Amino acid sequence: MVAVVDAEANHLLAALPETELRRWLPRLEPVDLPLGHVLYESGATLSHVYFPTTAIVSLLYVLENGASAEIAVVGKEGIVGISLFMGGESTPNRAVVQSAGKGYRLGAEALKSEFNRAGPVLHLLLRYTQALITQMSQTAVCNRHHSLDQQLCRWLLLSLDRLSGDQLVMTQELISNMLGVRREGVTEAAQQLQAAGLIRYARGRITVLDRNRLEQRSCECYAVVKKEYDRLLPDKQAK
């Protein structure tokens, strides 16, 4: 059975009252989440929800011609598969691992049963959903109105918040797919950030050298999203 201390590496699980979390533990299944692994495809019925601990998962909207753009990222702060407890069973999005790591998964029926018990679990998951919707909305606005340079800063900061270190393993091709832009644009934006001393990029690894200046260079979208997550998902246990 999963230990409490291990499950609490996911902040959403850690926010559960201990009695609730201990009831979940026998049903939580540890999973490896390798880079590029698809957790679910658009339109598919979800069989599990996922709680990343060291991995980051991108939620992508995929067009009929195969083009895609990221609408949100989920890491150790959250859960992948909100449509299960929102009553939709499926979603038009694709969930794919953007940064390899580990996590836990919980079966669909178990999650719905816990949600339907109401109380702390329901309130916590609804607050998380509100925070995720804020991220999706802000991403749409950012992609429409802000420069690629600002979008890349926002994306790097959101990803960094979901990792334990200051380095991301990420190719420019993958970033371009996430942002829905040409690879050449990402290359130029990354070179500008590197020339300014904010990041170092080499062989698919991005190291953030100056986070404060990266935040200053980003648009307001990052701060809006972070503030909403901090407001809705405090470190203390959900009540």
Side-chain angles (χ1 to χ4, degrees):
M1 185 174 73
V2 176
V4 170
V5 65
D6 294 330
E8 288 180 341
N10 176 276
H11 296 178
L12 205 59
L13 293 175
L16 289 170
E18 186 174 352
T19 54
E20 303 283 341
L21 178 57
R22 288 190 179 278
R23 192 173 64 250
W24 286 37
L25 293 179
R27 293 176 289 181
L28 286 174
E29 178 186 354
V31 290
D32 289 320
L33 300 172
L35 179 65
H37 178 62
V38 177
L39 301 184
Y40 59 76
E41 286 285 3
S42 172
T45 300
L46 278 61
S47 60
H48 296 81
V49 292
Y50 293 82
F51 299 90
T53 53
T54 58
I56 300 177
V57 178
S58 287
L59 306 184
L60 303 170
Y61 194 91
V62 184
L63 299 176
E64 289 182 355
N65 64 3
S68 64
E70 184 178 80
I71 58 175
V73 291
V74 181
K76 60 186 178 183
E77 86 295 343
I79 179 175
V80 179
I82 65 169
S83 61
L84 267 177
F85 59 81
M86 296 301 288
E89 303 293 339
S90 65
T91 173
N93 307 324
R94 171 190 291 165
V96 59
V97 178
Q98 84 165 35
S99 182
K102 297 181 180 297
Y104 298 96
R105 72 177 188 176
L106 182 67
E109 293 306 316
L111 188 280
K112 287 188 284 188
S113 174
E114 291 295 335
F115 185 82
N116 290 334
R117 290 171 67 97
V121 172
L122 181 146
H123 296 150
L124 178 64
L125 292 177
L126 289 182
R127 288 202 304 273
Y128 172 75
T129 301
Q130 181 176 337
L132 185 65
I133 289 172
T134 297
Q135 185 189 163
M136 291 177 174
S137 303
Q138 207 67 37
T139 297
V141 171
C142 187
N143 291 347
R144 175 65 179 83
H145 293 286
H146 294 146
S147 68
L148 179 54
D149 182 288
Q150 292 173 312
Q151 292 177 47
L152 181 58
C153 289
R154 168 186 57 81
W155 186 86
L156 288 171
L157 289 165
L158 286 174
S159 297
L160 205 62
D161 285 347
R162 289 154 176 80
L163 296 172
S164 58
D166 59 4
Q167 187 177 91
L168 296 84
V169 179
M170 191 67 53
T171 65
Q172 291 182 1
E173 181 177 2
L174 187 53
I175 296 173
S176 68
N177 289 336
M178 299 298 177
L179 296 179
V181 298
R182 297 176 60 203
R183 180 177 176 179
E184 292 79 6
V186 174
T187 300
E188 183 179 349
Q191 289 175 343
Q192 291 175 354
L193 295 181
Q194 183 164 262
L198 276 63
I199 67 171
R200 180 172 62 247
Y201 181 81
R203 296 180 180 179
R205 295 181 181 272
I206 300 176
T207 304
V208 175
L209 303 176
D210 193 330
R211 178 176 180 128
N212 289 335
R213 288 176 58 208
L214 194 65
E215 290 187 19
Q216 293 170 8
R217 187 154 177 160
S218 178
C219 51
E220 72 268 25
C221 297
Y222 167 71
V224 169
V225 172
K226 186 177 189 306
K227 181 179 179 180
E228 193 71 348
Y229 272 89
D230 291 344
R231 180 180 75 85
L232 292 167
L233 302 168
D235 291 335
K236 296 181 180 180
Q237 288 185 344
K239 300 298 181 183

